Amino acid sequence: MDFEFAAPDGGPPEPLCMVARRIEDGRTLRLRREELRALQTAPFATDADVLFVAFYASAEAGCFLALGWPTPINVLDLFAEFRNTTNGLPTPCGAGLLGALAYYGMDGVAAAEKASMRTLALRGGEYTDAEQTALLDYCQSDVTALEKLFLRMRDEIDLPRALLRGRYMVAAARIEANGVPIDLPLFERIRDQWHAIQDRLIERIDADYGVFEGRTFKASRWAAWLTKAGIPWPRLPSGALALDDDTFREMARAYPAVAPIRELRVSLSQMRLSDLAVGADGRNRCLLSAFRSKTGRNQPSNTRFIFGPAVWLRGLILADPGWAVAYVDWSQQEFGIAAALSNDTAMMAAYESGDPYMTFAKQAGAAPVDATKTTHGPIRELYKSCVLAVQYGMGAESLAERIGQPPVVARDLLRRHRETYRRFWDWSDAAVMYAMLRGRLCTAFGWTVHVGPDVNPRMLANFPMQANGAEMLRLACIFATERGIRVCAPVHDAILIEAPAWQIEDAVRDTQRAMADASAIVLGGFRLRTEAKVFEWPDRYADERGRRMWDTVQAVLAELRPAGTCGAGAHGSTVRPDGSCCTGAHPTCSAGAHPVQSYICLL
């Protein structure tokens, strides 16, 4: 089956029409918007005896949710299965429905016609009878193509694992429908004054660095600052500084002083606030793009998803009054996955100690048994850098640059890791060898990467941790959403949830249980720890990596505030003639910066 729907920016889908075809007898249903809205449930069975076939099923499940219909139990998503079949291999025509048909030598709707119909659907609003018929005909052509694709792929699909992937697509639809709560008045003010804010951010942040000339980042000045700060920096084969964002991201993790410049560069060059998908109800909703990456992780748009742009922007996340949000993440997830999958007892002991980095230093003989983060902080940081280097597939040269030490020191750290965790390295080397010999590598639930001629062995070595981490996150999202937890977003190794403030502790506890259950299933009984940070209204979400930039933006906003606005400095709420703040109907103002009596200012 297939829906055509309008997609308001940041809003839930608006179903326009639906076509469904029963494979056994060819019976076909064609329903227009008004007919869909009149139904309380789907016009066909969706129970455990039915296999529901779609292409990118989170879109169809999202329409079910928008219509208030119960979602299907057994979902087979041919997009996910085609991605799994071809992951790592070339797909000349892409991974969409037309690309999948072409891959198997079948015809579909012409690309130009598909683009035209998609534009018509996205337009929304009212449609003429001719337009509605055209949308239905186009929708039916996709259903006909989908049936052909299903019959071609059916025998090669591992159905039990495929149904698990389909189950995740339903969970993804629920998450996309919830969205992330955003401080809409503040977002609109930052967006509307973004150009002026950028200029002042350069003045304030660059005052400590002196690396900008106007709006231009000068590599020579950056090199001079790095020398002054004593920070080693990766270079290109040409000898020039590596100035890509991935390098800045990694170096900011190792050297916090780099973080403000990295945030500023992202804010100047990559951040288009008008692209952030925020609906009229103040919720950030966008396609999670499940199964898009080689490891099977979600790959939402970096410009549309609140967790995509610079870290400081996450300060816009604000629960509704009386509610709270919680960020629940796995502790050292990749280390724990590596320990469990390799069955390295020393590595598992390090993970279960609660501080694997300090324990690694002790196991390697670099710190006494009573050492702590306080007493041996520098040693711990060295060994932490070594662990992260192994996870990122770094060699000795890259590690040496990261820790600011000669290559001989980096080589010694990597040698100690190999000697301390021999079982892990034997397993990791064997996994790479298996992949090169057999041409593929799989996760616990069958997500597969196929080895092409130009494969990077480091990617293969890292794949089991990243891809099984993705399996774990999908399971946790399935468990959480099916247990009634309001999941707002999955974020790499974490889940953002929301609940009424008085229920948030129970919601966090249930989420942590779901995440622990998911880790135990993927890792054969080994449970990973989780940590939770709760932000109850009026406190907003905060990430320490972006706090300085967030505070700077708020200070700039206070300077830029137009006449007739609240002067608290944390928002841009219009002041009513009686002096009250018009951001919400509440009895008092908690900002403490003005005489509002009737309304709270949303901080």
Side-chain angles (χ1 to χ4, degrees), residues 1 19 51 70 75 115 221 239 313 316 340 344 473 526:
M1 70 152 298
V19 175
L51 180 65
V75 175
R221 295 185 181 183
L313 199 65
L316 287 172
D344 189 310
L473 182 62
F526 192 76

Side-chain angles (χ1 to χ4, degrees), residues 445-493:
F445 288 101
W447 182 255
T448 304
V449 65
H450 300 272
V451 179
D454 300 322
V455 70
N456 185 339
R458 290 184 180 178
M459 184 279 289
L460 294 176
N462 192 240
F463 179 83
M465 278 71 76
Q466 291 291 334
N468 280 291
E471 296 277 23
M472 196 180 298
L473 182 62
R474 288 195 289 271
L475 273 181
C477 288
I478 290 170
F479 294 159
T481 55
E482 291 180 357
R483 294 171 188 177
I485 299 168
R486 288 182 60 89
V487 178
C488 299
V491 191
H492 190 72
D493 61 353

Side-chain angles (χ1 to χ4, degrees), residues 185-203:
L186 180 54
F187 165 66
E188 290 175 340
R189 187 169 176 218
I190 293 175
R191 181 195 60 198
D192 293 344
Q193 301 193 63
W194 184 230
H195 190 79
I197 291 171
Q198 287 177 311
D199 289 332
R200 298 210 184 187
L201 286 177
I202 294 174
E203 293 176 12

Side-chain angles (χ1 to χ4, degrees), residues 294-316:
K294 280 188 177 180
T295 59
R297 288 195 183 276
N298 303 316
Q299 208 168 61
S301 166
N302 279 335
T303 58
R304 295 178 62 78
F305 187 42
I306 187 64
F307 286 93
V311 174
W312 69 266
L313 199 65
R314 299 173 192 180
L316 287 172

Side-chain angles (χ1 to χ4, degrees), residues 356-518:
Y357 312 128
M358 192 75 256
T359 302
F360 170 32
K362 295 176 185 178
Q363 291 170 332
V369 293
D370 59 347
T372 65
K373 183 178 180 179
T374 302
T375 62
H376 290 73
I379 292 291
R380 180 184 181 276
E381 286 303 307
L382 273 180
Y383 280 76
K384 176 181 179 180
S385 295
C386 178
V387 167
L388 296 178
V390 171
Q391 292 175 181
Y392 300 145
M394 287 184 182
E397 296 296 327
S398 298
L399 176 57
E401 290 177 342
R402 179 179 182 128
I403 62 179
Q405 297 286 342
V408 65
V409 175
R411 282 193 290 271
D412 182 63
L413 283 169
L414 292 173
R415 177 186 61 80
R416 288 171 182 257
H417 194 283
R418 276 191 172 270
E419 291 179 349
T420 304
Y421 303 129
R422 292 180 185 273
R423 184 71 176 266
F424 161 75
W425 279 102
D426 288 345
W427 167 82
S428 180
D429 293 341
V432 174
M433 186 179 300
Y434 177 93
M436 299 296 283
L437 290 173
R438 302 296 292 272
R440 66 183 184 277
L441 203 56
C442 303
T443 65
F445 288 101
W447 182 255
T448 304
V449 65
H450 300 272
V451 179
D454 300 322
V455 70
N456 185 339
R458 290 184 180 178
M459 184 279 289
L460 294 176
N462 192 240
F463 179 83
M465 278 71 76
Q466 291 291 334
N468 280 291
E471 296 277 23
M472 196 180 298
L473 182 62
R474 288 195 289 271
L475 273 181
C477 288
I478 290 170
F479 294 159
T481 55
E482 291 180 357
R483 294 171 188 177
I485 299 168
R486 288 182 60 89
V487 178
C488 299
V491 191
H492 190 72
D493 61 353
I495 295 177
L496 183 74
I497 66 167
E498 67 178 347
W502 64 275
Q503 291 180 330
I504 193 65
E505 290 186 6
D506 290 339
V508 167
R509 187 162 47 249
D510 290 343
T511 302
Q512 289 181 307
R513 187 177 300 115
M515 294 171 75
D517 291 345

Side-chain angles (χ1 to χ4, degrees), residues 44 60 80 115 142 151 198 229 278 362 526:
F44 44 78
E60 272 56 62
D142 271 357
L151 295 176
Q198 287 177 311
V278 181
K362 295 176 185 178
F526 192 76

